[in-house]
Amino acid sequence: MTSTAARCNSARTLYLGGATVKQVACSDAALVITVPNSSVRRYPVARLSRIVCSAQVNWQGAALALCMRSGIPIVWADAHSQLLGICYSQHQRQQAFSQALELLLEGENGLSQYTHWLRSRRMDMLMDWARTTALDVTPARWESLKRSWVYHNELAVHLSLQIRTYCQAWVAQRLIHHQINPVYWGVQAECVDIESDMTHLVWAQINLYGGNWADQVDAEAQSIYIFEQWSQAHAEIVDLHLLSLQRIANKAA
């Protein structure tokens, strides 16, 4: 059976959007997609990293099981690009990173350290943007962005919400790769939603770097193109966030 480790380096996202009803079945090592009045398509799971689909997709149980065994997360979104849910595969074993993260968040000051870490990542993102952007960032603009983004976790959204769903699927796939749970719990049973926080960082980052160039993009094909181009050019972003978090967790372990 195809595993996460065995997946080819060119594995890509499978987008199953649109209003047309689709049927998803499977063979031993591939998903079989059937669209009414269209050809049947076969997608080997070894070539898939993650799947984004609409509520118009009907899944066979065996096809879902094949994705779970292969470590392929599935993200569902409704007609308004709002997240409906994510299907994760079960981790086979707990890695040292996950254990260290549990110890950090269960510690007396763990949630505070995590909150400070998120703020530091937002500051790092803003500084990197200021260094690399071709725009002339005035002191007033810098202070405004620092106040809204770094301290209040707010940033102007320029992109279609569809792209946020794509970011969510990307984060889910990298969490599976690193065998990190999407949610952990603090010492007072506070929910620490790693998946949501990582998604927000990536979503904000693509909006920050995108500026106003995509304000009018609504079509699904355009949204997919923008996300694919940007995520390929910044393929290390999610891993860099996670590696930074790992360093904090290892210090506390």
Side-chain angles (χ1 to χ4, degrees), residues 104-177:
L104 168 68
L105 296 172
E106 290 174 357
E108 183 177 352
N109 299 315
L111 192 58
S112 175
Q113 290 183 64
Y114 179 72
T115 300
H116 286 309
W117 172 79
L118 282 173
R119 187 179 296 120
S120 74
R121 293 309 290 172
R122 295 196 294 269
M123 187 65 189
D124 288 345
M125 284 169 50
L126 191 61
M127 291 176 66
D128 184 67
W129 169 79
R131 284 193 299 267
T132 59
T133 185
L135 298 175
D136 183 18
V137 184
T138 64
R141 172 67 169 158
W142 169 261
E143 290 300 325
S144 175
L145 280 171
K146 187 168 68 171
R147 183 169 55 252
S148 61
W149 169 234
V150 177
Y151 295 109
H152 296 289
N153 198 21
E154 297 173 352
L155 194 69
V157 172
H158 302 283
L159 295 162
S160 162
L161 284 178
Q162 289 176 322
I163 296 179
R164 192 184 195 284
T165 302
Y166 307 156
C167 291
Q168 204 131 19
W170 185 16
V171 168
Q173 185 260 322
R174 298 317 296 164
L175 291 181
I176 288 175
H177 175 82

Side-chain angles (χ1 to χ4, degrees), residues 50-205:
R50 52 191 178 267
I51 298 171
V52 179
C53 68
S54 72
Q56 300 301 312
V57 179
N58 296 321
W59 284 82
Q60 183 187 79
L64 287 171
L66 177 61
C67 290
M68 295 306 94
R69 287 195 297 269
S70 303
I72 300 172
I74 307 169
V75 174
W76 281 270
D78 64 17
H80 303 289
S81 300
Q82 296 295 322
L83 180 72
L84 291 172
I86 303 177
C87 189
Y88 278 89
S89 59
Q90 184 177 9
H91 299 320
Q92 296 301 311
R93 61 188 184 279
Q94 191 174 41
Q95 294 294 302
F97 180 6
S98 183
Q99 293 173 338
L101 195 51
E102 277 190 350
L103 290 173
L104 168 68
L105 296 172
E106 290 174 357
E108 183 177 352
N109 299 315
L111 192 58
S112 175
Q113 290 183 64
Y114 179 72
T115 300
H116 286 309
W117 172 79
L118 282 173
R119 187 179 296 120
S120 74
R121 293 309 290 172
R122 295 196 294 269
M123 187 65 189
D124 288 345
M125 284 169 50
L126 191 61
M127 291 176 66
D128 184 67
W129 169 79
R131 284 193 299 267
T132 59
T133 185
L135 298 175
D136 183 18
V137 184
T138 64
R141 172 67 169 158
W142 169 261
E143 290 300 325
S144 175
L145 280 171
K146 187 168 68 171
R147 183 169 55 252
S148 61
W149 169 234
V150 177
Y151 295 109
H152 296 289
N153 198 21
E154 297 173 352
L155 194 69
V157 172
H158 302 283
L159 295 162
S160 162
L161 284 178
Q162 289 176 322
I163 296 179
R164 192 184 195 284
T165 302
Y166 307 156
C167 291
Q168 204 131 19
W170 185 16
V171 168
Q173 185 260 322
R174 298 317 296 164
L175 291 181
I176 288 175
H177 175 82
H178 291 284
Q179 299 192 332
I180 301 301
N181 296 330
V183 172
Y184 289 83
W185 301 94
V187 67
Q188 298 295 328
E190 308 96 333
C191 177
V192 182
D193 196 331
I194 302 292
E195 180 269 321
S196 180
D197 290 338
M198 292 297 107
T199 298
H200 188 62
L201 285 175
V202 176
W203 170 237
Q205 204 157 359

Side-chain angles (χ1 to χ4, degrees), residues 158-159 206-217 226-227 230:
H158 302 283
L159 295 162
I206 189 172
N207 274 281
L208 181 63
Y209 278 84
N212 297 318
W213 51 265
D215 275 339
Q216 304 304 316
V217 174
I226 287 172
F227 175 76
W230 193 86

